[in-house]
Amino acid sequence: MKTMVQEAIGVDSQINIWKNSTASWICQDNVGDMTNLYLHFSRQFDLAEPEPLKLFISAVSQYYVTINGAYIGRGPAVAHQGYYYYHEYDIPAQLVHSGCNHICVHLFHDGETTETLPKWRFGKPGLLVHLAGDGWNLGSDSAWRVRHSPDRPPIAGLICKWIGYKEIYHGESYDNWEEPGYDYSKWNYAVEVAPPISEDFVSNLVPLDVLELRERCVIPERIVELSPNLGYISKINNSFGDLLRTEKGIGLRVSPGEPMSAPSVTFDFGKILVGFPEVALSGGPCTFEVWYGETLDLYRLDAVHLPPNGTWNAFQRRAFRFLKLKFIALGGEVSISHVGQNAAEYPFNDTGCLVTSDEQINKIMDVSLDTLRANTSYHYEDCPIREQALWVLDMRIMAMVNAYLCGNHELTAKCIRQSFAIQRDDGAVPATGPRVNQFYHHDFMLHLVACLWEHYQHTGDCKIVCELYPKLLKLYEFTTTWVGEDGLVDTDLDSIAPDVSVFMDWNDKIAKSGKTTYLNSLYILYLEHMAGLAQVFGKDPDAQAYLRKADIIRVGVRQLLYSQEKKAFCDAWRAGQLIPVFSQQSNLAAILAGIPTEEQTGHIINMVLNDKTCIQPGSASTYWVVFMALAKVGKLENIESLVRQYWGAMLDRGATTWWEVFNPSLPSWTYPHVFLGHCPMPERDWIPVSCCHAWSSVPGYAIPQYLLGIDLSQVYKGKIVLHQGIGLSYERVTYKLPMNGELLHLEFSQKNGKTDIKVVEKPSKLEVIIEPGSTSK
């Protein structure tokens, strides 16, 4: 069962649902200061005969809803209470019946006082429901019943300092409350805590404007560890290789042994998945711990108590490749009937692909797409294991990968809106979201505007530009506080808000403070993007003013930060002198911004490619500027080489999704680990290390954009331009991209150094232009 896509539905008409509804936000009484809170809600309703229904629902923080015991959905999309989502579901007539029916909702709330490093604010707990039929409706109110969940006590701790709770489950306390005939008379009545829209609860309620997540059950690919640990664990009458493919289930039995025994089994799902683990056992009772890892460096999160023949379906989302069940108490022998992950993924268009005759490139593309999928829920996420947050630089890179491989632009538009929804009164926009937090970075604010401009180029979506233009002006006023009397951005200015810092890159050897080449270069690009967006909004004079300011910064950086001795740009000017640090990041950003002369550009390219003392990117995300600058000066062969050396080497070390940080100089047996390497903040064991990081998927768009020469930046002008690529050492390439229900289908072939391009299919309203140097068919 799928929910309705909201694209064709007007927002105002949807909001009227709540304006005209009898529903209120409801909750259990006296739970305001509780953390890790699980509540059960239920309401019975009568029908004369079965009919299709509409369900509108939201919750602070999470819900899981069933009707007559049938699963309907879970949500809502994570958001800030000033821009909060509700979901809509079509309920088919076959899920209801004549007479008494019941709707049941599990609610989880992190807690208003939950302390996290980003200082997320979760608000007060509550549930909002509007159920509508033919001429009638039912809203959440004080007639609903509620209780504390008896099977999930609120005693588990946070996973880490970022976000997320561990889970403790007591299956022996589950009382079939979602099944027909259950008696709710002993439950408390709910209390109404707020109307649907109010300043002190949820001040802005909007319909979900992207697709519902797709859920699918994935089983492990293999078992990598069986450990008796003073007990017994063994296979049941089948070879080890068939352990996961037996008609009797997993094919493992576990028995108690000596006191303190703890038999365990570790499963490998093949790649990192995000969703909700499931475990079913026969026999018992028993207690087991659930350990997870993106690598075999596992950590315990959940503790599960099951009665005989029990089943556990996790409420909390988990991201992992490896899962270990460690049995710490057994009331007798048990058999493992099922272990799976109910993976929850954004339903990206599946018809897109890029397939070449080069297997390494194919694998790099596959892993880039897998990384995008694993890091996307209802918004782009930096990494599912740690923060599940909407970081702006990650969003920019993921939006580009999406644009070149999937074409689901609705997701990018939603994320851009969410970022601006938490804009501060002074115009500053947090570096992450979608909840209000304490992180503000100069460069991420500039990336946000770049993301909006690129989204417009790829879609021609004038509506979102016009909608957000007042917020852009507010942001621009804030960024002017970074500019000194000489017209250059200076992070040391007293006028800058004290909580704003610069990120640039994880590399701690670059200079980040003062008048930096990197930030000033990004500011030039930002002014150019503002100029383009101003023209869309019909403000040509504003556009010209932005471009004049960009020219002033170009001249200033060229005069102040260029080293005649090194023939390159220093990273920074501070305290009246040049900081003698030279990096790829700064110098290539300067080229992108058009700062150096043609002669200076030649020297800079020679330095960044050949000078071993030139500081290189400390994180894969920074290759966005490396590849864009190299493409600008025609060094496409160097892009291909870097893709193979960097991402190819990551593949060789076992990556199935891209790591947050990768250092090819480390020994080949190292993997991302807080004490080993490939870690942005080594030996800080309170920060989970990410082996699945969205911003590392740069090749996912760089290969089609730069190496194949597919230019989607002029779609807003009604055309797609195919530039002359370098061939990738390929003989043939198939490229398919869904575009608004149509398909762009290109076939590339190479013979005798000459590239032929065949346009097999194209969107009806777009012109495909093949530049001279290629042969079209």
Side-chain angles (χ1 to χ4, degrees):
M1 177 176 20
K2 293 185 178 180
T3 64
M4 291 183 62
V5 183
Q6 301 290 342
E7 296 174 339
I9 301 177
V11 172
D12 290 342
S13 65
Q14 292 296 300
I15 291 176
N16 285 337
I17 288 169
W18 302 113
K19 288 182 178 179
N20 300 325
S21 175
T22 59
S24 297
W25 288 96
I26 60 173
C27 196
Q28 170 83 297
D29 199 13
N30 297 318
V31 297
D33 59 348
M34 296 187 67
T35 60
N36 193 31
L37 173 67
Y38 290 92
L39 297 176
H40 291 166
F41 292 86
S42 184
R43 180 71 159 89
Q44 295 179 339
F45 60 96
D46 291 326
L47 292 176
E49 59 184 30
E51 61 172 298
L53 307 177
K54 291 279 191 182
L55 172 64
F56 305 88
I57 182 170
S58 189
V60 185
S61 308
Q62 302 173 42
Y63 69 79
Y64 177 102
V65 57
T66 65
I67 290 182
N68 293 332
Y71 170 66
I72 304 300
R74 67 175 93 226
V78 179
H80 165 58
Q81 276 77 357
Y83 193 83
Y84 210 73
Y85 291 99
Y86 65 90
H87 294 225
E88 176 186 345
Y89 300 94
D90 283 325
I91 311 300
Q94 56 264 37
L95 288 188
V96 294
H97 47 255
S98 302
C100 182
N101 297 265
H102 63 284
I103 178 172
C104 296
V105 184
H106 302 243
L107 181 140
F108 169 81
H109 188 256
D110 301 81
E112 194 172 8
T113 60
T114 294
E115 288 293 332
T116 62
L117 187 64
K119 298 192 180 299
W120 304 120
R121 289 294 171 258
F122 301 99
K124 299 179 177 66
L127 172 69
L128 182 67
V129 175
H130 179 99
L131 184 66
D134 184 12
W136 66 272
N137 64 75
L138 176 73
S140 48
D141 57 21
S142 58
W144 282 58
R145 297 284 188 158
V146 63
R147 69 171 180 180
H148 289 275
S149 169
D151 47 11
R152 287 184 170 88
I155 56 177
L158 282 171
I159 294 172
C160 67
K161 292 185 178 182
W162 288 93
I163 196 172
Y165 274 92
K166 301 175 183 178
E167 183 172 325
I168 298 175
Y169 178 69
H170 282 273
E172 73 280 7
S173 299
Y174 180 73
D175 58 0
N176 298 312
W177 67 283
E178 297 162 286
E179 299 302 318
Y182 185 87
D183 181 9
Y184 301 99
S185 62
K186 294 182 180 180
W187 290 24
N188 295 324
Y189 285 103
V191 295
E192 299 178 15
V193 295
I197 301 173
S198 62
E199 287 301 320
D200 61 347
F201 202 89
V202 170
S203 59
N204 187 15
L205 198 57
V206 298
L208 182 70
D209 52 0
V210 296
L211 299 168
E212 290 284 340
L213 300 187
R214 175 173 55 204
E215 297 187 21
R216 62 187 179 95
C217 184
V218 182
I219 64 171
E221 291 187 358
R222 58 177 177 164
I223 291 173
V224 296
E225 171 262 351
L226 284 173
S227 295
N229 293 328
L230 302 180
Y232 304 94
I233 184 165
S234 61
K235 53 188 178 291
I236 304 175
N237 298 326
N238 54 291
S239 66
F240 190 84
D242 294 331
L243 280 174
L244 302 179
R245 295 173 178 84
T246 169
E247 294 179 0
K248 296 182 179 179
I250 294 293
L252 287 173
R253 62 185 176 195
V254 187
S255 303
E258 297 181 25
M260 301 186 190
S261 64
S264 68
V265 53
T266 302
F267 300 94
D268 179 8
F269 284 75
K271 60 184 177 183
I272 294 169
L273 299 167
V274 182
F276 305 91
E278 306 171 338
V279 177
L281 304 176
S282 57
C286 68
T287 299
F288 59 87
E289 299 174 337
V290 190
W291 295 60
Y292 303 93
E294 293 183 333
T295 67
L296 282 168
D297 178 35
L298 305 175
Y299 46 92
R300 179 182 67 82
L301 290 188
D302 303 323
V304 180
H305 307 268
L306 286 185
N309 304 316
T311 298
W312 171 63
N313 295 287
F315 189 97
Q316 298 297 333
R317 192 182 81 156
R318 300 290 181 242
F320 60 90
R321 173 179 169 178
F322 299 96
L323 180 149
K324 178 168 77 171
L325 302 180
K326 182 177 180 181
F327 293 85
I328 57 175
L330 288 160
E333 182 177 286
V334 299
S335 296
I336 302 175
S337 304
H338 170 70
V339 173
Q341 166 76 311
N342 185 23
E345 305 163 327
Y346 192 78
F348 285 109
N349 293 325
D350 293 329
T351 54
C353 71
L354 193 159
V355 180
T356 82
S357 53
D358 188 307
E359 287 306 313
Q360 186 184 54
I361 294 297
N362 290 343
K363 185 64 176 175
I364 288 172
M365 294 303 300
D366 289 345
V367 173
S368 297
L369 187 55
D370 284 342
T371 305
L372 173 69
R373 287 173 173 151
N375 284 280
T376 305
S377 58
Y378 289 113
H379 61 266
Y380 296 128
E381 299 180 356
D382 61 327
C383 59
I385 193 176
R386 188 166 71 221
E387 299 149 83
Q388 304 164 22
L390 177 59
W391 286 91
V392 170
L393 177 54
D394 303 70
M395 172 175 65
R396 184 181 181 186
I397 292 170
M398 293 177 75
M400 290 291 289
V401 177
N402 179 3
Y404 272 89
L405 297 184
C406 303
N408 288 98
H409 298 289
E410 75 282 353
L411 190 61
T412 301
K414 173 186 180 292
C415 292
I416 293 172
R417 286 189 173 98
Q418 281 195 277
S419 294
F420 277 107
I422 55 175
Q423 186 175 33
R424 211 162 57 182
D425 289 342
D426 64 359
V429 178
T432 186
R435 297 183 175 99
V436 171
N437 60 91
Q438 66 173 0
F439 290 107
Y440 291 86
H441 296 327
H442 304 83
D443 42 340
F444 279 51
M445 295 184 214
L446 308 183
H447 285 305
L448 177 58
V449 176
C451 189
L452 176 58
W453 172 243
E454 289 160 352
H455 173 71
Y456 171 73
Q457 289 180 305
H458 295 150
T459 63
D461 184 359
C462 299
K463 180 180 177 181
I464 191 172
V465 175
C466 295
E467 172 192 336
L468 296 177
Y469 195 74
K471 292 180 176 289
L472 290 173
L473 293 179
K474 197 173 177 181
L475 173 60
Y476 174 72
E477 287 302 316
F478 180 75
T479 67
T480 60
T481 64
W482 312 346
V483 180
E485 294 180 358
D486 59 357
L488 296 183
V489 174
D490 185 350
T491 62
D492 290 336
L493 290 175
D494 293 335
S495 58
I496 299 177
D499 57 350
V500 179
S501 61
V502 67
F503 173 76
M504 290 191 190
D505 185 76
W506 276 126
N507 198 318
D508 58 3
K509 296 179 181 178
I510 59 177
K512 298 184 179 183
S513 300
K515 300 175 184 179
T516 64
T517 299
Y518 189 86
L519 191 57
N520 275 280
S521 298
L522 259 61
Y523 201 80
I524 291 170
L525 297 171
Y526 157 72
L527 290 170
E528 292 179 342
H529 298 147
M530 284 293 294
L533 294 166
Q535 288 180 323
V536 175
F537 196 69
K539 296 288 186 180
D540 288 344
D542 290 355
Q544 296 306 313
Y546 293 135
L547 295 177
R548 286 194 295 272
K549 290 180 180 180
D551 286 336
I552 292 172
I553 298 177
R554 280 192 186 90
V555 173
V557 173
R558 191 183 304 134
Q559 292 176 346
L560 185 66
L561 288 155
Y562 189 74
S563 167
Q564 295 294 340
E565 178 183 356
K566 189 73 172 180
K567 295 189 181 303
F569 287 93
C570 292
D571 273 13
W573 172 283
R574 199 177 192 202
Q577 62 181 354
L578 286 173
I579 306 300
V581 177
F582 299 87
S583 66
Q584 281 192 1
Q585 298 92 310
S586 294
N587 280 276
L588 291 176
I591 288 175
L592 263 187
I595 295 173
T597 65
E598 185 176 346
E599 181 182 0
Q600 289 172 339
T601 297
H603 292 304
I604 289 170
I605 291 297
N606 180 62
M607 183 200 71
V608 299
L609 294 179
N610 300 307
D611 188 339
K612 300 301 183 184
T613 66
C614 182
I615 297 172
Q616 298 182 4
S619 50
S621 60
T622 310
Y623 280 92
W624 79 266
V625 68
V626 174
F627 290 165
M628 192 179 291
L630 290 176
K632 183 177 181 179
V633 297
K635 294 290 185 179
L636 301 179
E637 69 279 2
N638 295 101
I639 296 177
E640 181 185 16
S641 178
L642 286 170
V643 166
R644 294 186 187 278
Q645 291 172 13
Y646 192 88
W647 283 269
M650 216 186 306
L651 284 179
D652 292 341
R653 301 188 189 200
T656 58
T657 50
W658 299 127
W659 303 342
E660 178 178 8
V661 173
F662 174 54
N663 182 353
S665 68
L666 291 176
S668 60
W669 50 265
T670 58
Y671 54 89
H673 190 283
V674 69
F675 300 122
L676 294 177
H678 308 303
C679 178
M681 293 162 284
E683 301 192 4
R684 298 185 188 181
D685 61 354
W686 48 271
I687 300 180
V689 181
S690 172
C691 297
C692 180
H693 214 85
W695 72 6
S696 300
S697 297
V698 176
Y701 73 86
I703 288 173
Q705 182 179 14
Y706 303 133
L707 300 187
L708 286 179
I710 302 170
D711 183 0
L712 301 178
S713 67
Q714 299 185 61
V715 168
Y716 74 106
K717 296 180 180 178
K719 58 186 178 182
I720 297 169
V721 179
L722 305 181
H723 301 284
Q724 175 65 48
I726 63 168
L728 283 170
S729 306
Y730 64 77
E731 294 179 358
R732 61 190 180 278
V733 174
T734 297
Y735 178 72
K736 296 180 181 179
L737 176 66
M739 302 184 77
N740 294 323
E742 298 184 277
L743 188 68
L744 174 66
H745 181 182
L746 306 174
E747 298 283 352
F748 298 76
S749 59
Q750 186 179 24
K751 185 179 293 185
N752 300 325
K754 187 176 182 181
T755 302
D756 290 335
I757 303 175
K758 181 180 180 181
V759 181
V760 180
E761 188 175 351
K762 74 174 187 64
S764 56
K765 295 183 180 180
L766 291 177
E767 179 184 8
V768 177
I769 299 174
I770 302 176
E771 284 195 335
S774 301
T775 301
S776 63
K777 292 183 180 180

